[in-house]
Amino acid sequence: MKKILTLIFIACLGYACTPGATPPIASQIGESTYTPGRVVWHDLASPDPEASSAFYESVFGWTTVPYGDGNKKVWVFKQGDKPVALMAYYKTENGSGEWIGAISVPSVSEATAKAKTQGAKIVKKAMEVDNRGTISFLQDPQGASISLIKLNNGDPEPGLAEMNTFLGQELWTNDVSQSTNFYKEVVGYSTEEIDNQKVPYTIFKMGDMNCAGMLQSPAPDVRSHWVPYIRVANLDETISKAKNAGAKVLIEPSPDIRNGSVALLMDPTGAPLAVQVYNP
């Protein structure tokens, strides 16, 4: 199991998803109000945007819309007319891709400065991005890549994710205590321990709102990692599509893991993601 799970984690990023063009994201997903603590946006750092586009279009039915040109080109993934993520070209030391979730905060500059005092590596300091908002990129003290964001037009409205969109984020950390303290200080989370799981599990909360999950990483010899979840209608069909499109299945569905409703994949560029059937 440890050998399999080790494949989930990829080498430390030496970049951030700084867009070179300004697609109109904020105006298309914002709802005028803010929900600090939620993961409200996702960026894909891809070493091969063409392969990434083909994969996510084939598996989830997304369309890929390019903006800009040359080395300033970025792509927006859409489901129908609604943006779900942005992709930019970046090459890591080992050539792997990575999804980076963006946590909504009231002040990106203040939260980023606080993150630095708490031991984070600031990859890109707070910056204004037209048609998007203010965003920074960092690695927490355990090496997990995350971004902090304040969208110009407010956060997307809270609610159950539509099919083939992002359902949530989960932090696999090498040090639960340190990660708990870090995200409490930087984001303002409270935590709730869940005792009905096979392994100890923590929920990051803002008031009564569940924002993300956290568990002890089963692969302590590699850095911590945030794993995105995408909601799907049929797990077997999704896995079959993913395999046909070049993905690896790192963890197959198992009755011991959320009643067989989840699988962990690695896309063709090496970016890990989970897919889950979730019908509360």
Side-chain angles (χ1 to χ4, degrees):
M1 177 64 73
K2 180 176 177 180
K3 181 178 180 181
I4 296 175
L5 293 172
T6 299
L7 297 174
I8 299 169
F9 299 89
I10 59 181
C12 181
L13 302 181
Y15 61 85
C17 288
T18 310
T22 57
I25 292 170
S27 61
Q28 296 184 27
I29 67 172
E31 296 290 342
S32 76
T33 59
Y34 289 94
T35 50
R38 290 177 57 224
V39 177
V40 296
W41 186 247
H42 294 82
D43 289 300
L44 176 61
S46 173
D48 189 340
E50 184 175 348
S52 296
S53 296
F55 176 79
Y56 290 98
E57 289 175 0
S58 175
V59 177
F60 301 111
W62 296 348
T63 55
T64 311
V65 182
Y67 289 85
D69 52 34
N71 61 3
K72 297 292 186 180
K73 192 172 185 179
V74 296
W75 298 259
V76 173
F77 289 123
K78 289 190 173 185
Q79 185 190 49
D81 294 330
K82 187 173 182 178
V84 293
L86 182 143
M87 174 174 63
Y89 169 77
Y90 289 100
K91 187 170 182 178
T92 59
E93 292 179 1
N94 68 344
S96 295
E98 182 167 9
W99 281 105
I100 303 174
I103 300 174
S104 175
V105 293
S107 170
V108 175
S109 59
E110 290 180 9
T112 304
K114 186 172 288 187
K116 186 175 181 179
T117 68
Q118 297 297 313
K121 175 185 177 182
I122 308 305
V123 181
K124 287 288 184 180
K125 65 182 181 180
M127 55 189 170
E128 298 286 339
V129 180
D130 291 343
N131 298 319
R132 191 174 183 188
T134 307
I135 189 168
S136 68
F137 291 85
L138 56 90
Q139 286 183 317
D140 73 17
Q142 299 301 314
S145 295
I146 197 71
S147 64
L148 304 173
I149 195 168
K150 185 170 185 179
L151 291 163
N152 283 339
N153 288 29
D155 295 331
E157 184 177 356
L160 181 62
E162 297 178 4
M163 293 299 176
N164 297 318
T165 66
F166 289 96
L167 180 62
Q169 290 275 131
E170 195 169 74
L171 175 60
W172 291 25
T173 176
N174 291 330
D175 190 326
V176 168
S177 178
Q178 187 179 65
S179 293
T180 297
N181 292 335
F182 176 82
Y183 288 98
K184 281 184 174 181
E185 288 291 328
V186 174
V187 183
Y189 287 140
S190 61
T191 57
E192 179 182 345
E193 307 305 318
I194 304 298
D195 58 8
N196 61 353
Q197 304 290 316
K198 297 290 184 181
V199 296
Y201 197 84
T202 301
I203 300 292
F204 287 126
K205 301 174 70 74
M206 292 291 280
D208 295 331
M209 181 174 60
N210 294 342
C211 296
M214 177 176 63
L215 70 158
Q216 178 72 41
S217 171
D221 53 333
V222 292
R223 71 173 175 91
S224 301
H225 202 86
W226 280 94
V227 177
Y229 278 66
I230 296 177
R231 186 185 182 205
V232 298
N234 186 297
L235 195 58
D236 290 338
E237 288 183 6
T238 301
I239 292 172
S240 178
K241 287 181 181 180
K243 286 180 176 178
N244 290 337
K248 296 179 181 179
V249 181
L250 302 180
I251 300 180
E252 296 278 357
S254 167
D256 294 332
I257 305 175
R258 297 178 190 171
N259 298 316
S261 65
V262 179
L264 190 65
L265 311 176
M266 180 180 283
D267 80 10
T269 73
L273 67 150
V275 290
Q276 181 174 2
V277 172
Y278 183 72
N279 297 309

PDB file of all heavy atoms in Angstrom, residues 145-171:
ATOM      1  N   SER A 145       1.317  22.191  -1.677  1.00  0.00           N
ATOM      2  CA  SER A 145       1.095  23.391  -2.471  1.00  0.00           C
ATOM      3  C   SER A 145      -0.353  23.836  -2.372  1.00  0.00           C
ATOM      4  O   SER A 145      -1.280  23.033  -2.496  1.00  0.00           O
ATOM      5  CB  SER A 145       1.443  23.130  -3.941  1.00  0.00           C
ATOM      6  OG  SER A 145       2.815  22.862  -4.088  1.00  0.00           O
ATOM      7  N   ILE A 146      -0.548  25.134  -2.151  1.00  0.00           N
ATOM      8  CA  ILE A 146      -1.883  25.702  -2.015  1.00  0.00           C
ATOM      9  C   ILE A 146      -1.805  27.162  -2.454  1.00  0.00           C
ATOM     10  O   ILE A 146      -0.718  27.746  -2.511  1.00  0.00           O
ATOM     11  CB  ILE A 146      -2.404  25.575  -0.556  1.00  0.00           C
ATOM     12  CG1 ILE A 146      -3.909  25.771  -0.463  1.00  0.00           C
ATOM     13  CG2 ILE A 146      -1.652  26.522   0.354  1.00  0.00           C
ATOM     14  CD1 ILE A 146      -4.715  24.642  -1.048  1.00  0.00           C
ATOM     15  N   SER A 147      -2.939  27.745  -2.782  1.00  0.00           N
ATOM     16  CA  SER A 147      -2.965  29.176  -3.060  1.00  0.00           C
ATOM     17  C   SER A 147      -4.021  29.846  -2.196  1.00  0.00           C
ATOM     18  O   SER A 147      -4.933  29.185  -1.682  1.00  0.00           O
ATOM     19  CB  SER A 147      -3.221  29.449  -4.548  1.00  0.00           C
ATOM     20  OG  SER A 147      -4.492  28.989  -4.945  1.00  0.00           O
ATOM     21  N   LEU A 148      -3.883  31.152  -2.036  1.00  0.00           N
ATOM     22  CA  LEU A 148      -4.825  31.970  -1.286  1.00  0.00           C
ATOM     23  C   LEU A 148      -5.415  32.980  -2.256  1.00  0.00           C
ATOM     24  O   LEU A 148      -4.684  33.553  -3.075  1.00  0.00           O
ATOM     25  CB  LEU A 148      -4.122  32.690  -0.136  1.00  0.00           C
ATOM     26  CG  LEU A 148      -3.370  31.793   0.850  1.00  0.00           C
ATOM     27  CD1 LEU A 148      -2.568  32.638   1.840  1.00  0.00           C
ATOM     28  CD2 LEU A 148      -4.322  30.859   1.593  1.00  0.00           C
ATOM     29  N   ILE A 149      -6.717  33.216  -2.177  1.00  0.00           N
ATOM     30  CA  ILE A 149      -7.358  34.025  -3.209  1.00  0.00           C
ATOM     31  C   ILE A 149      -8.469  34.889  -2.627  1.00  0.00           C
ATOM     32  O   ILE A 149      -9.124  34.518  -1.654  1.00  0.00           O
ATOM     33  CB  ILE A 149      -7.928  33.108  -4.327  1.00  0.00           C
ATOM     34  CG1 ILE A 149      -8.269  33.900  -5.581  1.00  0.00           C
ATOM     35  CG2 ILE A 149      -9.153  32.334  -3.836  1.00  0.00           C
ATOM     36  CD1 ILE A 149      -8.550  33.022  -6.804  1.00  0.00           C
ATOM     37  N   LYS A 150      -8.652  36.065  -3.239  1.00  0.00           N
ATOM     38  CA  LYS A 150      -9.863  36.853  -3.057  1.00  0.00           C
ATOM     39  C   LYS A 150     -10.350  37.239  -4.445  1.00  0.00           C
ATOM     40  O   LYS A 150      -9.751  38.095  -5.113  1.00  0.00           O
ATOM     41  CB  LYS A 150      -9.640  38.090  -2.195  1.00  0.00           C
ATOM     42  CG  LYS A 150     -10.970  38.821  -1.937  1.00  0.00           C
ATOM     43  CD  LYS A 150     -10.862  39.922  -0.901  1.00  0.00           C
ATOM     44  CE  LYS A 150     -12.259  40.499  -0.632  1.00  0.00           C
ATOM     45  NZ  LYS A 150     -12.216  41.567   0.398  1.00  0.00           N
ATOM     46  N   LEU A 151     -11.420  36.602  -4.884  1.00  0.00           N
ATOM     47  CA  LEU A 151     -11.963  36.852  -6.203  1.00  0.00           C
ATOM     48  C   LEU A 151     -12.593  38.242  -6.259  1.00  0.00           C
ATOM     49  O   LEU A 151     -13.168  38.724  -5.278  1.00  0.00           O
ATOM     50  CB  LEU A 151     -13.005  35.790  -6.554  1.00  0.00           C
ATOM     51  CG  LEU A 151     -12.464  34.375  -6.792  1.00  0.00           C
ATOM     52  CD1 LEU A 151     -13.581  33.352  -6.708  1.00  0.00           C
ATOM     53  CD2 LEU A 151     -11.760  34.288  -8.147  1.00  0.00           C
ATOM     54  N   ASN A 152     -12.512  38.880  -7.413  1.00  0.00           N
ATOM     55  CA  ASN A 152     -13.027  40.233  -7.551  1.00  0.00           C
ATOM     56  C   ASN A 152     -14.522  40.345  -7.292  1.00  0.00           C
ATOM     57  O   ASN A 152     -14.992  41.310  -6.694  1.00  0.00           O
ATOM     58  CB  ASN A 152     -12.742  40.764  -8.957  1.00  0.00           C
ATOM     59  CG  ASN A 152     -11.299  41.185  -9.139  1.00  0.00           C
ATOM     60  OD1 ASN A 152     -10.595  41.462  -8.171  1.00  0.00           O
ATOM     61  ND2 ASN A 152     -10.834  41.232 -10.381  1.00  0.00           N
ATOM     62  N   ASN A 153     -15.286  39.378  -7.742  1.00  0.00           N
ATOM     63  CA  ASN A 153     -16.739  39.491  -7.732  1.00  0.00           C
ATOM     64  C   ASN A 153     -17.420  38.619  -6.694  1.00  0.00           C
ATOM     65  O   ASN A 153     -18.618  38.378  -6.774  1.00  0.00           O
ATOM     66  CB  ASN A 153     -17.302  39.141  -9.117  1.00  0.00           C
ATOM     67  CG  ASN A 153     -17.009  40.200 -10.143  1.00  0.00           C
ATOM     68  OD1 ASN A 153     -16.005  40.892 -10.038  1.00  0.00           O
ATOM     69  ND2 ASN A 153     -17.864  40.335 -11.141  1.00  0.00           N
ATOM     70  N   GLY A 154     -16.683  38.118  -5.710  1.00  0.00           N
ATOM     71  CA  GLY A 154     -17.264  37.231  -4.716  1.00  0.00           C
ATOM     72  C   GLY A 154     -17.014  35.777  -5.055  1.00  0.00           C
ATOM     73  O   GLY A 154     -16.608  35.427  -6.159  1.00  0.00           O
ATOM     74  N   ASP A 155     -17.259  34.900  -4.074  1.00  0.00           N
ATOM     75  CA  ASP A 155     -17.015  33.463  -4.246  1.00  0.00           C
ATOM     76  C   ASP A 155     -18.210  32.773  -4.900  1.00  0.00           C
ATOM     77  O   ASP A 155     -19.338  33.273  -4.824  1.00  0.00           O
ATOM     78  CB  ASP A 155     -16.761  32.819  -2.884  1.00  0.00           C
ATOM     79  CG  ASP A 155     -15.488  33.316  -2.231  1.00  0.00           C
ATOM     80  OD1 ASP A 155     -14.553  33.698  -2.974  1.00  0.00           O
ATOM     81  OD2 ASP A 155     -15.420  33.325  -0.992  1.00  0.00           O
ATOM     82  N   PRO A 156     -17.972  31.610  -5.520  1.00  0.00           N
ATOM     83  CA  PRO A 156     -19.105  30.823  -6.009  1.00  0.00           C
ATOM     84  C   PRO A 156     -20.041  30.477  -4.856  1.00  0.00           C
ATOM     85  O   PRO A 156     -19.604  30.298  -3.717  1.00  0.00           O
ATOM     86  CB  PRO A 156     -18.436  29.564  -6.573  1.00  0.00           C
ATOM     87  CG  PRO A 156     -17.031  29.957  -6.837  1.00  0.00           C
ATOM     88  CD  PRO A 156     -16.678  30.964  -5.794  1.00  0.00           C
ATOM     89  N   GLU A 157     -21.302  30.371  -5.151  1.00  0.00           N
ATOM     90  CA  GLU A 157     -22.288  30.064  -4.113  1.00  0.00           C
ATOM     91  C   GLU A 157     -22.049  28.668  -3.540  1.00  0.00           C
ATOM     92  O   GLU A 157     -21.847  27.721  -4.294  1.00  0.00           O
ATOM     93  CB  GLU A 157     -23.694  30.151  -4.694  1.00  0.00           C
ATOM     94  CG  GLU A 157     -24.804  29.950  -3.674  1.00  0.00           C
ATOM     95  CD  GLU A 157     -26.183  30.120  -4.285  1.00  0.00           C
ATOM     96  OE1 GLU A 157     -26.258  30.463  -5.478  1.00  0.00           O
ATOM     97  OE2 GLU A 157     -27.166  29.894  -3.565  1.00  0.00           O
ATOM     98  N   PRO A 158     -22.066  28.511  -2.217  1.00  0.00           N
ATOM     99  CA  PRO A 158     -21.900  27.174  -1.624  1.00  0.00           C
ATOM    100  C   PRO A 158     -23.043  26.251  -2.035  1.00  0.00           C
ATOM    101  O   PRO A 158     -24.175  26.686  -2.241  1.00  0.00           O
ATOM    102  CB  PRO A 158     -21.947  27.445  -0.114  1.00  0.00           C
ATOM    103  CG  PRO A 158     -21.656  28.898   0.037  1.00  0.00           C
ATOM    104  CD  PRO A 158     -22.209  29.550  -1.188  1.00  0.00           C
ATOM    105  N   GLY A 159     -22.732  25.001  -2.158  1.00  0.00           N
ATOM    106  CA  GLY A 159     -23.753  24.018  -2.517  1.00  0.00           C
ATOM    107  C   GLY A 159     -23.108  22.747  -3.005  1.00  0.00           C
ATOM    108  O   GLY A 159     -21.886  22.674  -3.212  1.00  0.00           O
ATOM    109  N   LEU A 160     -23.924  21.723  -3.191  1.00  0.00           N
ATOM    110  CA  LEU A 160     -23.409  20.444  -3.675  1.00  0.00           C
ATOM    111  C   LEU A 160     -22.870  20.594  -5.087  1.00  0.00           C
ATOM    112  O   LEU A 160     -23.519  21.172  -5.965  1.00  0.00           O
ATOM    113  CB  LEU A 160     -24.533  19.398  -3.648  1.00  0.00           C
ATOM    114  CG  LEU A 160     -24.167  17.990  -4.110  1.00  0.00           C
ATOM    115  CD1 LEU A 160     -23.098  17.378  -3.224  1.00  0.00           C
ATOM    116  CD2 LEU A 160     -25.410  17.106  -4.133  1.00  0.00           C
ATOM    117  N   ALA A 161     -21.671  20.075  -5.310  1.00  0.00           N
ATOM    118  CA  ALA A 161     -21.044  20.174  -6.624  1.00  0.00           C
ATOM    119  C   ALA A 161     -21.877  19.463  -7.679  1.00  0.00           C
ATOM    120  O   ALA A 161     -22.451  18.396  -7.438  1.00  0.00           O
ATOM    121  CB  ALA A 161     -19.644  19.561  -6.572  1.00  0.00           C
ATOM    122  N   GLU A 162     -21.933  20.046  -8.862  1.00  0.00           N
ATOM    123  CA  GLU A 162     -22.555  19.372  -9.992  1.00  0.00           C
ATOM    124  C   GLU A 162     -21.668  18.208 -10.418  1.00  0.00           C
ATOM    125  O   GLU A 162     -20.493  18.128 -10.066  1.00  0.00           O
ATOM    126  CB  GLU A 162     -22.734  20.353 -11.147  1.00  0.00           C
ATOM    127  CG  GLU A 162     -23.661  21.508 -10.837  1.00  0.00           C
ATOM    128  CD  GLU A 162     -23.777  22.481 -11.993  1.00  0.00           C
ATOM    129  OE1 GLU A 162     -23.195  22.205 -13.064  1.00  0.00           O
ATOM    130  OE2 GLU A 162     -24.446  23.506 -11.833  1.00  0.00           O
ATOM    131  N   MET A 163     -22.247  17.288 -11.185  1.00  0.00           N
ATOM    132  CA  MET A 163     -21.469  16.160 -11.690  1.00  0.00           C
ATOM    133  C   MET A 163     -20.302  16.666 -12.533  1.00  0.00           C
ATOM    134  O   MET A 163     -20.422  17.638 -13.273  1.00  0.00           O
ATOM    135  CB  MET A 163     -22.345  15.224 -12.526  1.00  0.00           C
ATOM    136  CG  MET A 163     -23.411  14.510 -11.728  1.00  0.00           C
ATOM    137  SD  MET A 163     -22.686  13.445 -10.435  1.00  0.00           S
ATOM    138  CE  MET A 163     -24.194  12.876  -9.622  1.00  0.00           C
ATOM    139  N   ASN A 164     -19.175  16.007 -12.380  1.00  0.00           N
ATOM    140  CA  ASN A 164     -17.962  16.315 -13.122  1.00  0.00           C
ATOM    141  C   ASN A 164     -17.398  17.700 -12.792  1.00  0.00           C
ATOM    142  O   ASN A 164     -16.762  18.338 -13.630  1.00  0.00           O
ATOM    143  CB  ASN A 164     -18.191  16.167 -14.630  1.00  0.00           C
ATOM    144  CG  ASN A 164     -18.543  14.751 -15.009  1.00  0.00           C
ATOM    145  OD1 ASN A 164     -17.951  13.797 -14.514  1.00  0.00           O
ATOM    146  ND2 ASN A 164     -19.534  14.592 -15.884  1.00  0.00           N
ATOM    147  N   THR A 165     -17.631  18.139 -11.539  1.00  0.00           N
ATOM    148  CA  THR A 165     -16.971  19.338 -11.035  1.00  0.00           C
ATOM    149  C   THR A 165     -16.346  19.012  -9.682  1.00  0.00           C
ATOM    150  O   THR A 165     -16.569  17.938  -9.124  1.00  0.00           O
ATOM    151  CB  THR A 165     -17.940  20.523 -10.899  1.00  0.00           C
ATOM    152  OG1 THR A 165     -18.908  20.232  -9.882  1.00  0.00           O
ATOM    153  CG2 THR A 165     -18.639  20.815 -12.213  1.00  0.00           C
ATOM    154  N   PHE A 166     -15.593  19.965  -9.141  1.00  0.00           N
ATOM    155  CA  PHE A 166     -14.830  19.700  -7.928  1.00  0.00           C
ATOM    156  C   PHE A 166     -15.742  19.607  -6.714  1.00  0.00           C
ATOM    157  O   PHE A 166     -16.524  20.505  -6.424  1.00  0.00           O
ATOM    158  CB  PHE A 166     -13.777  20.781  -7.722  1.00  0.00           C
ATOM    159  CG  PHE A 166     -12.657  20.693  -8.719  1.00  0.00           C
ATOM    160  CD1 PHE A 166     -12.671  21.473  -9.863  1.00  0.00           C
ATOM    161  CD2 PHE A 166     -11.604  19.818  -8.519  1.00  0.00           C
ATOM    162  CE1 PHE A 166     -11.648  21.385 -10.801  1.00  0.00           C
ATOM    163  CE2 PHE A 166     -10.573  19.714  -9.439  1.00  0.00           C
ATOM    164  CZ  PHE A 166     -10.600  20.504 -10.588  1.00  0.00           C
ATOM    165  N   LEU A 167     -15.595  18.497  -6.005  1.00  0.00           N
ATOM    166  CA  LEU A 167     -16.412  18.198  -4.831  1.00  0.00           C
ATOM    167  C   LEU A 167     -15.772  18.701  -3.547  1.00  0.00           C
ATOM    168  O   LEU A 167     -16.460  19.099  -2.611  1.00  0.00           O
ATOM    169  CB  LEU A 167     -16.630  16.679  -4.749  1.00  0.00           C
ATOM    170  CG  LEU A 167     -17.455  16.121  -3.602  1.00  0.00           C
ATOM    171  CD1 LEU A 167     -18.886  16.645  -3.657  1.00  0.00           C
ATOM    172  CD2 LEU A 167     -17.447  14.590  -3.653  1.00  0.00           C
ATOM    173  N   GLY A 168     -14.446  18.685  -3.478  1.00  0.00           N
ATOM    174  CA  GLY A 168     -13.764  19.106  -2.267  1.00  0.00           C
ATOM    175  C   GLY A 168     -12.267  18.884  -2.357  1.00  0.00           C
ATOM    176  O   GLY A 168     -11.743  18.453  -3.383  1.00  0.00           O
ATOM    177  N   GLN A 169     -11.575  19.192  -1.267  1.00  0.00           N
ATOM    178  CA  GLN A 169     -10.124  19.041  -1.162  1.00  0.00           C
ATOM    179  C   GLN A 169      -9.787  18.290   0.115  1.00  0.00           C
ATOM    180  O   GLN A 169     -10.485  18.425   1.129  1.00  0.00           O
ATOM    181  CB  GLN A 169      -9.438  20.405  -1.111  1.00  0.00           C
ATOM    182  CG  GLN A 169      -9.484  21.186  -2.392  1.00  0.00           C
ATOM    183  CD  GLN A 169      -8.370  20.827  -3.339  1.00  0.00           C
ATOM    184  OE1 GLN A 169      -8.622  20.570  -4.508  1.00  0.00           O
ATOM    185  NE2 GLN A 169      -7.142  20.792  -2.885  1.00  0.00           N
ATOM    186  N   GLU A 170      -8.696  17.534   0.062  1.00  0.00           N
ATOM    187  CA  GLU A 170      -8.266  16.745   1.221  1.00  0.00           C
ATOM    188  C   GLU A 170      -6.755  16.882   1.364  1.00  0.00           C
ATOM    189  O   GLU A 170      -6.010  16.684   0.400  1.00  0.00           O
ATOM    190  CB  GLU A 170      -8.645  15.283   0.994  1.00  0.00           C
ATOM    191  CG  GLU A 170      -8.611  14.401   2.206  1.00  0.00           C
ATOM    192  CD  GLU A 170      -9.248  13.059   1.913  1.00  0.00           C
ATOM    193  OE1 GLU A 170      -8.619  12.245   1.204  1.00  0.00           O
ATOM    194  OE2 GLU A 170     -10.375  12.831   2.369  1.00  0.00           O
ATOM    195  N   LEU A 171      -6.318  17.216   2.554  1.00  0.00           N
ATOM    196  CA  LEU A 171      -4.886  17.369   2.827  1.00  0.00           C
ATOM    197  C   LEU A 171      -4.337  16.077   3.405  1.00  0.00           C
ATOM    198  O   LEU A 171      -4.771  15.625   4.460  1.00  0.00           O
ATOM    199  CB  LEU A 171      -4.656  18.517   3.806  1.00  0.00           C
ATOM    200  CG  LEU A 171      -3.219  18.740   4.287  1.00  0.00           C
ATOM    201  CD1 LEU A 171      -2.286  19.038   3.113  1.00  0.00           C
ATOM    202  CD2 LEU A 171      -3.161  19.857   5.319  1.00  0.00           C
TER     203      LEU A 171
END
